Amino acid sequence: MNQNNHNEIGQIILGILEVFGVNILLMFLIFTIPIISIIQLLYVIPRGNYLFEAQQQARLKGTTIGALITFLLNGACWISVTS
């Protein structure tokens, strides 16, 4: 692996961790899990636009991956609780 590949992987992981960190912070501030997927749209979309304009594609990938993981886990938990 070359240096650019390591840097890209690191930026992707950083993007994922940023989303997870904000989600954990929101969980403690709001005390409710079901609306995190909805609330995350309020910060992920502007963050994605900023990263796209700043041409930080690897971090944008990580942010997208983190948001999708959160959405899928939250949706699966919500379905299992309500059914």
Side-chain angles (χ1 to χ4, degrees):
M1 268 191 210
N2 59 17
Q3 185 65 24
N4 288 338
N5 199 11
H6 278 300
N7 190 26
E8 182 177 3
I9 292 170
Q11 289 297 309
I12 290 172
I13 292 171
L14 182 62
I16 293 170
L17 291 176
E18 285 176 350
V19 171
F20 287 169
V22 173
N23 287 338
I24 290 169
L25 180 67
L26 285 173
M27 186 176 62
F28 286 118
L29 291 176
I30 299 175
F31 301 113
T32 182
I33 302 295
I35 62 172
I36 285 182
S37 290
I38 297 167
I39 290 178
Q40 83 175 356
L41 292 175
L42 297 176
Y43 67 88
V44 169
I45 291 174
R47 178 77 176 153
N49 286 336
Y50 169 76
L51 292 172
F52 182 77
E53 290 175 3
Q55 297 183 356
Q56 296 183 10
Q57 301 302 322
R59 208 151 165 195
L60 178 58
K61 287 178 192 177
T63 301
T64 305
I65 291 168
L68 288 173
I69 290 171
T70 302
F71 179 76
L72 291 173
L73 286 174
N74 195 2
C77 290
W78 183 248
I79 288 172
S80 68
V81 167
T82 58
S83 61

